[in-house]
Amino acid sequence: LVLFIVFIIYAGIATTTEAAAFGAFGALVIGLALRRINTKEIFDALYETAKSTAMIFLIMIGATVFSYYVALTKIGDKMLQAVSASGMSSLTILVFIILMYLILGMFMDYIGCMLLTLPLVFPLIVGLCYDPIWFGVVLVLILEIGLVTPPVGINLFITSQQTGIPVGKVIYGSIPFIIVMLIAIVFLIAFPQIVLYLPSIMTQ
């Protein structure tokens, strides 16, 4: 299954998102063929998927309404003016934004974080002359940290459930990964060309 997924991605047959769907279908077929799953487990999985999907769509609906509100009230422009008048350096503001996302990531799903904050944060980032592609990569790393930080860290509970290891031990084991990702963020801030080198070649 793993080899199949890797093959269809690198062969250009499917994107990573589409490959995830292929993987889920392949896992279903293999599970049924080896009789490792039954009808009840399939319906339980479908039920949980429906609940998660409904939650995400509700967040998207609320975020869409919020985006229109931000656009109509010009809050983004007012924030940019306020930040400019504060006299803080762009690096200081960026550090505050990163800290905000790290805190939000502890309590919110990463999709909700992006949908609810980007209408405000993205114009501010562009106004501070940071590259949007670079910020997108940094943001993904920050939100990935949120997936392994309690109390909401989804990946912590999934790992604990699948392996049988207590959540506390999983949290302790995730600390080195969090430190590595924080170091990676520091490197990306100090050397943005790590992210921008390939896009710069593509635009030539």
Side-chain angles (χ1 to χ4, degrees):
L1 180 62
V2 172
L3 291 174
F4 170 69
I5 294 170
V6 172
F7 170 75
I8 63 174
I9 291 173
Y10 282 94
I13 298 171
T15 65
T16 50
T17 304
E18 293 164 346
F22 278 109
F25 180 74
L28 175 63
V29 172
I30 292 171
L32 290 172
L34 299 178
R35 299 188 178 183
R36 292 185 179 178
I37 54 175
N38 54 42
T39 306
K40 181 182 182 301
E41 289 172 335
I42 293 172
F43 278 104
D44 286 344
L46 291 173
Y47 176 69
E48 291 299 322
T49 301
K51 286 202 302 183
S52 299
T53 304
M55 176 193 70
I56 292 169
F57 270 96
L58 282 173
I59 293 172
M60 290 175 67
I61 292 167
T64 302
V65 175
F66 182 65
S67 298
Y68 279 112
Y69 170 77
V70 169
L72 289 171
T73 56
K74 300 186 183 300
I75 292 178
D77 295 337
K78 293 175 182 176
M79 280 184 61
L80 185 58
Q81 292 170 7
V83 167
S84 301
S86 68
M88 290 190 295
S89 68
S90 58
L91 180 60
T92 304
I93 297 166
L94 179 64
V95 170
F96 275 115
I97 291 173
I98 290 172
L99 289 175
M100 176 194 75
Y101 273 112
L102 287 173
I103 294 169
L104 283 176
M106 294 181 184
F107 303 100
M108 288 182 65
D109 176 76
Y110 70 98
I111 294 177
C113 280
M114 287 193 294
L115 291 175
L116 292 175
T117 59
L118 281 179
L120 289 173
V121 173
F122 188 75
L124 186 60
I125 289 294
V126 174
L128 293 171
C129 298
Y130 286 112
D131 189 280
I133 297 174
W134 169 85
F135 179 70
V137 174
V138 172
L139 180 60
V140 168
L141 276 176
I142 296 168
L143 295 176
E144 286 295 325
I145 293 174
L147 292 175
V148 290
T149 50
V152 176
I154 298 171
N155 287 355
L156 298 175
F157 297 102
I158 292 173
T159 303
S160 176
Q161 183 181 24
Q162 295 298 318
T163 61
I165 300 172
V167 176
K169 196 169 182 179
V170 175
I171 293 171
Y172 180 76
S174 70
I175 292 174
F177 296 95
I178 295 173
I179 293 172
V180 169
M181 284 194 283
L182 288 172
I183 293 172
I185 291 170
V186 171
F187 268 94
L188 293 182
I189 293 172
F191 308 103
Q193 277 304 114
I194 296 173
V195 174
L196 300 177
Y197 176 69
L198 283 177
S200 67
I201 293 175
M202 294 171 66
T203 55
Q204 288 178 359

